[in-house]
């Protein structure tokens, strides 16, 4: 079974790649084999966690920093996910910051209960599963802040949504 955290990261980059019409290549790190603690990987990411991006000779880690970097670099190649003004960009950045400690832990918990509870050996919390609704976060436009929230929601909705 794919771990929800890895699935979230892969889904986010897959969505970003699709929205911006990019050719991004993913390397799947096998943590169970200790690849995240190898000297080569620790040179890229000193904490030994995922994700990391290499763009020629530039290396960056932390998922929200990476998606912001990609959205800025390729904003003219697809949908502008950062907003058209400084004010819109500020709202996008605000909601990215809000998402990390306030939304992500809860939706991660929801994903664990909805997708993995039986595999992990505990009953899913049905009340938790039934409580969910999504809206645009940084205004009345689709932005990077929304894209950052979609990976787990995509998993919860299933492949046909």
């Amino acid at each position: 079974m794919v771990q929800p955290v890895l699935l979230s990261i892969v889904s986010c980059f897959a969505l970003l790649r699709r929205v911006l019409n990019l050719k991004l290549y993913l390397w799947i790190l096998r943590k169970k084999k200790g690849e995240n603690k190898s000297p080569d990987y620790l040179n890229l990411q000193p904490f030994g966690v995922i994700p990391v991006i290499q763009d020629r000779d530039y290396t960056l880690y932390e998922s929200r920093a990476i998606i912001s970097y990609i959205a800025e670099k390729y904003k003219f190649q697809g949908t502008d996910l950062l907003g058209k003004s400084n004010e819109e960009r500020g709202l996008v950045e605000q909601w990215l910051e809000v998402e990390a400690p306030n939304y992500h832990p809860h939706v991660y918990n929801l994903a664990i209960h909805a997708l993995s509870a039986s595999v992990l050996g505990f009953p899913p919390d049905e009340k938790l599963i039934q409580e969910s609704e999504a809206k645009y976060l940084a205004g009345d436009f689709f932005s990077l802040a929304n894209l950052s929230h979609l990976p787990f929601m995509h998993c919860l909705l299933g492949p046909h949504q």
Side-chain angles (χ1 to χ4, degrees), residues 64-76:
R64 287 160 194 82
I66 293 169
I67 63 175
S68 292
Y69 168 78
I70 293 170
E72 176 65 33
K73 182 170 182 174
Y74 299 102
K75 65 183 175 185
F76 300 111

Side-chain angles (χ1 to χ4, degrees), residues 44-56:
L44 300 174
Q45 212 302 356
F47 306 114
V49 296
I50 51 178
V52 170
I53 185 175
Q54 285 186 288
D55 186 4
R56 294 187 175 86

Side-chain angles (χ1 to χ4, degrees), residues 64 98-112 152:
R64 287 160 194 82
V98 166
E99 183 266 344
N102 297 299
Y103 177 85
H104 182 83
H106 301 289
V107 79
Y108 175 80
N109 192 32
L110 175 62
I112 291 294
F152 279 122

Side-chain angles (χ1 to χ4, degrees), residues 29-48:
L29 184 70
R30 293 176 292 200
K31 290 175 69 174
K32 286 185 178 181
K33 293 189 175 188
E35 291 178 354
N36 60 311
K37 299 299 181 185
S38 72
D40 287 341
Y41 190 76
L42 291 173
N43 282 334
L44 300 174
Q45 212 302 356
F47 306 114

Side-chain angles (χ1 to χ4, degrees), residues 60-117:
L60 185 65
Y61 54 87
E62 293 300 324
S63 58
R64 287 160 194 82
I66 293 169
I67 63 175
S68 292
Y69 168 78
I70 293 170
E72 176 65 33
K73 182 170 182 174
Y74 299 102
K75 65 183 175 185
F76 300 111
Q77 203 167 305
T79 302
D80 183 354
L81 298 170
L82 298 169
K84 294 179 180 20
S85 67
N86 285 338
E87 291 78 11
E88 287 182 354
R89 172 81 181 246
L91 289 172
V92 170
E93 294 294 336
Q94 169 186 284
W95 282 103
L96 283 170
E97 292 298 321
V98 166
E99 183 266 344
N102 297 299
Y103 177 85
H104 182 83
H106 301 289
V107 79
Y108 175 80
N109 192 32
L110 175 62
I112 291 294
H113 279 272
L115 304 174
S116 305

Side-chain angles (χ1 to χ4, degrees), residues 98-161:
V98 166
E99 183 266 344
N102 297 299
Y103 177 85
H104 182 83
H106 301 289
V107 79
Y108 175 80
N109 192 32
L110 175 62
I112 291 294
H113 279 272
L115 304 174
S116 305
S118 60
V119 174
L120 296 174
F122 61 88
D125 182 339
E126 295 299 331
K127 182 179 177 188
L128 178 69
I129 293 170
Q130 292 176 3
E131 298 170 352
S132 177
E133 186 174 318
K135 294 181 180 181
Y136 293 130
L137 295 176
D140 61 354
F141 64 100
F142 179 75
S143 73
L144 186 61
N146 297 104
L147 189 64
S148 176
H149 288 67
L150 289 178
F152 279 122
M153 298 312 295
H154 174 74
C155 295
L156 291 170
L157 292 173
H160 303 292
Q161 298 291 323

